[in-house]
Amino acid sequence: MSTLPPSAALALAARLLEAEGFAIVARNERGDSFYLARQGERATLRLSNHARRPRQRRTHPEVATSLVIREARSAAQIESLIAAAKRNYVLAIAARHAVLTDEVPAEDSPAR
């Protein structure tokens, strides 16, 4: 099983995510981070070769999840990472939606 260097693994992951209905909506100046989203979705999936710093987390709340590839990976490993990232993306969007639509209980209803 051959492995791809991190830059090639990132490029493959971006292509596979695009085939799954994601589109690149932004990238950083160095070209080592891509932000992908599904049609009509504001939340993004960040694909990068490095983790986000705390300041980046605070200033970019639209990032629902990140997929970080720092080392050589096989195509099968990349597919597995993508499956997990897609699952996390969907769960993060659902959690945000639940928070935004959660109604305050009426005064006479029992506490949650």
Side-chain angles (χ1 to χ4, degrees):
M1 182 185 299
S2 68
T3 59
L4 300 169
S7 60
L10 284 170
L12 176 60
R15 286 192 309 273
L16 292 173
L17 284 164
E18 287 177 314
E20 296 268 347
F22 286 84
I24 295 175
V25 295
R27 65 179 57 178
N28 71 353
E29 293 174 5
R30 293 183 309 271
D32 58 2
S33 294
F34 303 92
Y35 298 84
L36 300 101
R38 287 196 167 143
Q39 178 86 23
E41 196 59 63
R42 189 169 174 266
T44 60
L45 185 158
R46 179 178 176 269
L47 174 61
S48 186
N49 66 357
H50 61 280
R52 294 190 303 156
R53 293 189 286 286
R55 180 176 178 208
Q56 291 172 308
R57 287 191 177 98
R58 284 191 311 272
T59 59
H60 294 286
E62 72 280 2
V63 176
T65 192
S66 291
L67 170 52
V68 177
I69 300 176
R70 294 183 195 156
E71 54 198 41
R73 299 284 183 179
S74 69
Q77 289 172 320
I78 293 167
E79 289 173 2
S80 178
L81 291 169
I82 288 172
K86 286 181 3 187
R87 183 183 64 245
N88 292 342
Y89 179 81
V90 169
L91 291 172
I93 291 170
R96 289 178 184 183
H97 182 69
V99 168
L100 293 175
T101 60
D102 196 9
E103 296 180 19
V104 176
E107 289 182 25
D108 60 341
S109 68
R112 293 185 198 194

